[in-house]
Amino acid sequence: MKSSNSTASKVPTIRRPLAYRPTLKSIMASRYILVMDWDETITRADTVHLVAQAAYQAHCTSSTSPRSVPPWSDFTNAYMTDYLAYQSSFGPRTSLEEELEFLTASATIEQASVTRIEKAGLFKSITAKHLQEQAAKVEIRPGFIDLIRRCRTLGVMLGIMSVNWSQVFIRAALEQKYGSCDDVPVYCNEIEFDKEGKGTGMMSCSDYVLRTGADKAKLIKQLLARNSGKKIVYVGDSTGDLHPLLDADIGVIMGEKKSLRETCERVGITIKHISLLDVASPKDGRMLYCIREWKELLLHGPFAHK
């Protein structure tokens, strides 16, 4: 479930990459902030089910866990039932404005899903160790770390922005594969832990409560306000990323997800390959770019080797 409470008012901090070494070649590129979605953008597949699996493992080993937590399929089925009912009640979406309104208002569906999970106590007794064990199963798209290294060399600011449920999980997946990634801030929801490091069953214990793409767009505006003169490159894969893709200076679609491409065609958004990007041209509010893998962002666009 790619799951709005309003984004927390705390202004996000973007840290300059540890390997920052300004050069004449990097002046143009360093004007950008690269912000990336997590699930199915950085990763090969959605990982929310792995966060949930960590919770079920915790129930098997803890005497304080709820006795009758429903199976994961109950939560996903309830979510889909709510979503389909909402979709039907909203009606046809033939314009971009209607599509963005539909996506924004879907926050009620996402919050209802979170509330069900909290009431069932799914994340009660979970620990960081359970999340770390499941994080080892995450598969990262090839070329991601090469892009990160390139951005570090150029002095490009970085960030991961996700509606996933745990920063601890995302950071563990990165660090297990690439070592310290402290220079890559993760803006994401979080499970609440008590003083002993065990889950209370509650969620959204984070400075950034992200349920929909509209929440991501609000956070992007905060990043731009904090970093005057910078431009945002946002990379995402789904219709849930439509808000930040359109609000970014350069919106890049990862992969070939049919639902997002059909939505873009329906509401009049043009998609071009990243090789056709002209960074000197004014921003077109109905133009997005696409890549199939991260290496294409190394070959074309503002971070390309030149």
Side-chain angles (χ1 to χ4, degrees), residues 166-182:
S166 175
Q167 297 175 38
V168 170
F169 172 81
I170 291 175
R171 191 157 292 287
L174 291 174
E175 292 181 352
Q176 287 174 18
K177 291 170 175 60
Y178 307 123
S180 176
C181 291
D182 288 343

Side-chain angles (χ1 to χ4, degrees), residues 91-289:
R93 308 182 315 271
T94 58
S95 68
L96 177 57
E97 292 72 22
E98 288 173 335
E99 185 65 30
L100 293 177
E101 181 185 352
F102 170 82
L103 293 169
T104 300
S106 69
T108 58
I109 306 303
E110 306 300 341
Q111 186 56 45
S113 176
V114 169
T115 300
R116 269 192 298 269
I117 289 169
E118 288 179 332
K119 286 184 176 179
L122 178 62
F123 290 110
K124 188 173 178 59
S125 301
I126 194 174
T127 67
K129 183 179 179 181
H130 292 116
L131 291 165
Q132 290 161 358
E133 289 173 350
Q134 290 300 315
K137 301 176 183 179
V138 173
E139 293 185 38
I140 305 293
R141 285 184 182 269
F144 170 72
I145 193 60
D146 294 327
L147 176 66
I148 297 305
R149 288 168 178 158
R150 174 67 176 163
C151 287
R152 285 168 172 164
T153 299
L154 294 172
V156 174
M157 293 180 176
L158 301 164
I160 294 171
M161 198 174 290
S162 176
V163 297
N164 199 299
W165 292 334
S166 175
Q167 297 175 38
V168 170
F169 172 81
I170 291 175
R171 191 157 292 287
L174 291 174
E175 292 181 352
Q176 287 174 18
K177 291 170 175 60
Y178 307 123
S180 176
C181 291
D182 288 343
D183 58 317
V184 186
V186 177
Y187 307 107
C188 181
N189 308 292
E190 189 56 272
I191 298 160
E192 182 180 80
F193 297 96
D194 62 21
K195 293 181 179 180
E196 296 180 352
K198 293 184 178 181
T200 65
M202 302 304 290
M203 300 165 66
S204 306
C205 179
S206 169
D207 292 327
Y208 315 104
V209 178
L210 302 176
R211 296 283 180 255
T212 69
D215 292 330
K216 289 184 176 183
K218 291 176 185 177
L219 186 49
I220 281 177
K221 289 177 182 177
Q222 292 183 44
L223 295 181
L224 288 173
R226 181 68 179 268
N227 296 277
S228 178
K230 297 287 187 180
K231 293 184 177 183
I232 294 277
V233 177
Y234 182 87
V235 187
D237 70 284
S238 71
T239 53
D241 292 303
L242 196 56
H243 274 94
L245 282 168
L246 292 172
D247 281 6
D249 295 279
I250 301 173
V252 181
I253 297 172
M254 168 63 79
E256 299 180 318
K257 190 167 287 184
K258 188 177 179 181
S259 59
L260 176 53
R261 290 176 178 268
E262 288 179 344
T263 296
C264 288
E265 182 177 359
R266 172 164 46 82
V267 300
I269 297 171
T270 302
I271 302 174
K272 293 184 178 181
H273 188 262
I274 193 68
S275 60
L276 299 176
L277 169 67
D278 180 358
V279 294
S281 296
K283 173 180 168 59
D284 185 335
R286 288 179 178 256
M287 176 73 71
L288 298 177
Y289 297 89

Side-chain angles (χ1 to χ4, degrees), residues 291-305:
I291 57 177
R292 280 178 284 190
E293 294 296 345
W294 287 111
K295 65 180 180 181
E296 296 174 57
L297 208 54
L298 284 170
L299 296 173
H300 310 286
F303 315 128
H305 290 277

